[in-house]
Amino acid sequence: MRVITAVLLVFLLLLQYRLWFGKNSVPDYLALEEEVVRQKLDNDKLTQRNKLLYADTDDLKSGVEAIEERARNELGMIKSGETFFRIIPKDKNATQESR
């Protein structure tokens, strides 16, 4: 009877070791849960960014105003008959100090 109890105790200890320190153990499970939460947050951010990009492409497809705005801001283009004024500060230190 003592031999069976000792063997069962050894098996129990081996299973406990594997549970706490082996492959796919409790710490691994907890680390994976944290990674899943982080990945869900990343996916939410990317989904939000995709929604903004879809809205932007819809604006570009449907209206002239969005294309005109892009041309003005990104390419520096102006319409004929328009006057463009660019104000450049004298030095960089003056603009940084005023902030």
Side-chain angles (χ1 to χ4, degrees):
M1 190 67 171
R2 289 182 186 240
V3 174
I4 294 174
T5 306
V7 169
L8 289 175
L9 185 62
V10 167
F11 281 135
L12 178 65
L13 290 174
L14 288 174
L15 288 173
Q16 285 294 315
Y17 176 80
R18 185 169 177 176
L19 175 68
W20 293 103
F21 303 110
K23 184 180 177 183
N24 298 327
S25 61
V26 172
D28 291 342
Y29 172 74
L30 295 175
L32 282 175
E33 274 190 339
E34 290 177 11
E35 188 174 336
V36 165
V37 169
R38 183 190 55 78
Q39 188 65 45
K40 283 183 180 179
L41 290 173
D42 289 345
N43 287 348
D44 290 342
K45 288 179 187 175
L46 291 173
T47 302
Q48 193 70 10
R49 188 193 77 185
N50 285 346
K51 286 180 182 177
L52 290 173
L53 289 173
Y54 285 133
D56 197 23
T57 55
D58 287 342
D59 284 346
L60 289 172
K61 286 179 184 178
S62 64
V64 177
E65 293 87 16
I67 296 171
E68 198 173 292
E69 179 183 349
R70 283 259 174 144
R72 288 174 190 262
N73 291 334
E74 294 178 7
L75 302 175
M77 299 178 82
I78 57 172
K79 287 182 178 179
S80 60
E82 247 183 1
T83 305
F84 176 73
F85 295 99
R86 177 176 287 175
I87 301 172
I88 301 174
K90 288 186 179 181
D91 59 358
K92 293 180 181 180
N93 294 333
T95 58
Q96 289 177 355
E97 290 174 5
S98 64
R99 290 181 187 175

